[in-house]
Amino acid sequence: MLIEARGIEKIFPAPPLSGGEGLRALAGADLEAGPGVLGIEGPNGSGKTTLLKILAGILRPDSGEVLADGRPEPPRRLRALAAFCPASPRGFYFRISAIENLRFFGALAGSSPEDAAAAAAKFAPRLGLSGTDLGRRFDRLSEGNMQKVSLLRALARRTPVLLLDEPFRGLDAAARSGLLAILKELSPATAILIASHDEHFLREAAPRTLRLFPAGGGAGR
Amino acid sequence: MNTLRVAAAFLRKDFLAETSYRLSFALGAAGTLSGILIFYFIDKLFGGAMAAHLTPYGTGYFPYVFTATAFFGYIGTGAGAYSERLRLEQAQGTLEAVLSTPVTTGSFLLALTAWNFLFATFELLVYALSAVFIFSLDLSAANWPAAALVFFLSAACFASLGILSSCFVMLFKRGNPLAWVLNNFEGLLGGVYFPVTLLPPWLAAVSDILPVTYAVRAFQLTVHKGAGLGAVKGDLLALVLFDAVLIPAAVYLFHLSTERARRSGTLGQY
């Protein structure tokens, strides 16, 4: 699948009655990515996460459009086409196990809970996550293992577009190698976009890299 | 199919999360009846004073307040649970993750409070069993089909109010004027703890614009007097009108507030 962003602009409004100004995160970002891995780099505040969230249909842009295979797609359709792995693994239910979290989010994405669990279990050992880890309550996992579960949630959806925000954060060397191998395997059929400050691993994962500049500086891509 | 799957996933997740707080879960289940005992003793002390106001219902104070509390406990779940659950998802940081999936607004709304409604059903069962086996209430006159219709219309109406209330949570996080009204006035002015005929005229006029007034009155009449649909048609019509306006408005406004949060980038904020 070919995913495209055209002229994406995003300004986060200031909180009501705060007297502050809105924050311009993207000022006309363009991007095109087909099967393979595309790296996205840029300094803090350059809009990497914002761009990934717009591509994932989580955020709505103020202007511009996102196209899949040349067709403009509404955010809900994008949420079905793209799986997003956020930079922070905060978006999990800490009182239930990792595998129950994966079953839950799998069901919301349209899989049966069993399929979601099986898909996650397929990738888990390659990231160094055991069955015991998956059965452990989420708040008892180390931060690195939380990040692995977060990656599994996105990988298990098997969507044609995979959006990974700082995927290497907190991973040990074996897990990083495992993730690189998984990405290599998926890349012939999946458009994978990775935003990261880890230049070494970004270069290793992505043959092509796009650099974002802060929108306040006048450049959007 | 997908809505059922989403609802089942929420039920399983909430059951596991709630039962992980073992003491709270046990206290919640055991506490269902504690409130009702207060009314039992109030009835012993002052019950006769309200006899005139209870004549239309053909029952005493304790049976009146018992059925009203059980009924309001269930329909009130819809009014309170949406904003409570949504706020919890915001605070946990899971709201954005849930709404990052292709789940529809309708499925999300049906699933979000499924656990609360299941637990409320369990509480209703406890009320029903205690009515029969502990307090020996006489409900032999009840018109259960009519009561069920009132119950269904009322639950839908209060769920809609709850969804409207959760729009404030989606947009402002804290500060929910509708929840404040629902929490503080519905029980007081709607005839849950005493018949609304006890209210002074100016407050009775306020109670006339609250759906709970029609819901409780119709439910009490069908349960205690065995009133048929004809006898409560005015209250039923009011509930149907509330539903016709509130259900589509609530779903639409919730969708709009979610889209606004997507635009302002506040889905992940608390």
Side-chain angles (χ1 to χ4, degrees), chain A residues 8-12 23-29 40-51 197 210-221:
Chain A
I8 300 289
E9 289 192 22
K10 185 71 211 164
I11 300 172
F12 293 113
L23 178 71
R24 182 180 290 275
L26 292 168
I40 301 175
E41 57 182 6
N44 296 130
S46 58
K48 301 183 295 296
T49 299
T50 301
L51 181 58
H197 289 290
L210 182 79
R211 185 163 183 82
L212 285 177
F213 297 96
R221 57 166 299 174

Side-chain angles (χ1 to χ4, degrees), chain A residues 40-192:
Chain A
I40 301 175
E41 57 182 6
N44 296 130
S46 58
K48 301 183 295 296
T49 299
T50 301
L51 181 58
L52 289 187
K53 284 186 174 180
I54 287 171
L55 292 172
I58 301 168
L59 276 178
R60 273 187 176 274
D62 294 316
S63 62
E65 56 185 2
V66 179
L67 298 88
D69 284 338
R71 269 208 319 267
E73 296 288 4
R76 183 162 176 258
R77 174 84 181 127
L78 293 174
R79 293 197 289 278
L81 293 173
F84 173 64
C85 174
S88 156
R90 183 171 162 253
F92 282 90
Y93 297 95
F94 277 42
R95 302 285 301 189
I96 63 176
S97 69
I99 195 72
E100 285 295 344
N101 268 287
L102 295 170
R103 289 167 61 104
F104 172 76
F105 284 105
L108 265 55
S111 313
S112 74
E114 294 71 29
D115 285 350
K122 189 182 124 194
F123 291 114
R126 302 179 66 183
L127 293 176
L129 210 54
S130 67
T132 311
D133 293 326
L134 287 174
R136 196 163 281 152
R137 216 167 76 174
F138 195 80
D139 58 2
R140 297 199 179 141
L141 295 175
S142 68
E143 204 156 306
N145 281 346
M146 285 181 179
Q147 173 68 3
K148 293 173 189 176
V149 178
S150 188
L151 284 164
L152 286 180
R153 177 171 62 183
L155 293 168
R157 284 186 56 190
R158 291 167 292 189
T159 48
V161 180
L162 190 56
L163 307 164
L164 309 176
D165 195 2
E166 296 291 354
F168 305 108
R169 179 187 285 176
L171 298 187
D172 54 38
R176 286 178 174 215
S177 304
L179 178 60
L180 286 172
I182 291 170
L183 296 178
K184 198 169 182 181
E185 260 175 47
L186 296 176
S187 62
T190 311
I192 304 168

Side-chain angles (χ1 to χ4, degrees), chain B residues 36-236:
Chain B
I36 208 70
L37 282 171
I38 295 170
F39 296 114
Y40 180 76
F41 291 110
I42 287 176
D43 177 52
K44 293 278 176 216
L45 196 59
F46 302 114
M50 275 194 239
H53 294 280
L54 292 167
T55 306
Y57 302 98
T59 191
Y61 178 66
F62 181 67
Y64 176 92
V65 81
F66 185 94
T67 47
T69 308
F71 173 66
F72 190 61
Y74 190 91
I75 62 171
T77 296
Y82 281 98
S83 48
E84 181 194 310
R85 281 279 158 188
L86 196 70
R87 185 77 192 119
L88 187 65
E89 297 282 348
Q90 279 176 340
Q92 287 176 158
T94 44
L95 182 64
E96 187 178 66
V98 166
L99 296 178
S100 299
T101 64
V103 68
T104 61
T105 301
S107 298
F108 177 66
L109 286 174
L110 280 171
L112 182 65
T113 56
W115 165 256
N116 299 70
F117 276 103
L118 190 69
F119 193 78
T121 306
F122 163 74
E123 285 184 314
L124 202 59
L125 190 67
V126 172
Y127 273 111
L129 291 174
S130 64
V132 174
F133 295 110
I134 300 176
F135 300 111
S136 303
L137 296 189
D138 179 13
L139 301 176
S140 57
N143 180 342
W144 291 116
L149 180 64
V150 173
F151 194 88
F152 173 75
L153 290 172
S154 308
C157 181
F158 275 74
S160 306
L161 288 171
I163 293 168
L164 282 173
S165 160
S166 69
C167 294
F168 286 97
V169 175
M170 183 66 89
L171 294 175
F172 303 107
K173 319 306 174 203
R174 286 191 192 180
N176 187 343
L178 188 53
W180 185 79
V181 170
L182 290 171
N183 290 337
N184 293 298
F185 291 104
E186 289 282 317
L188 175 70
L189 301 179
V192 176
Y193 305 115
F194 48 82
V196 290
T197 49
L198 268 171
L199 295 169
W202 65 275
L203 266 183
V206 178
S207 91
D208 281 346
I209 58 169
L210 301 175
V212 68
T213 306
Y214 303 94
V216 170
R217 183 167 53 214
F219 190 73
Q220 296 284 35
L221 288 170
T222 54
V223 169
H224 294 297
K225 283 206 97 174
L229 297 182
V232 292
K233 64 174 185 288
D235 291 333
L236 283 177

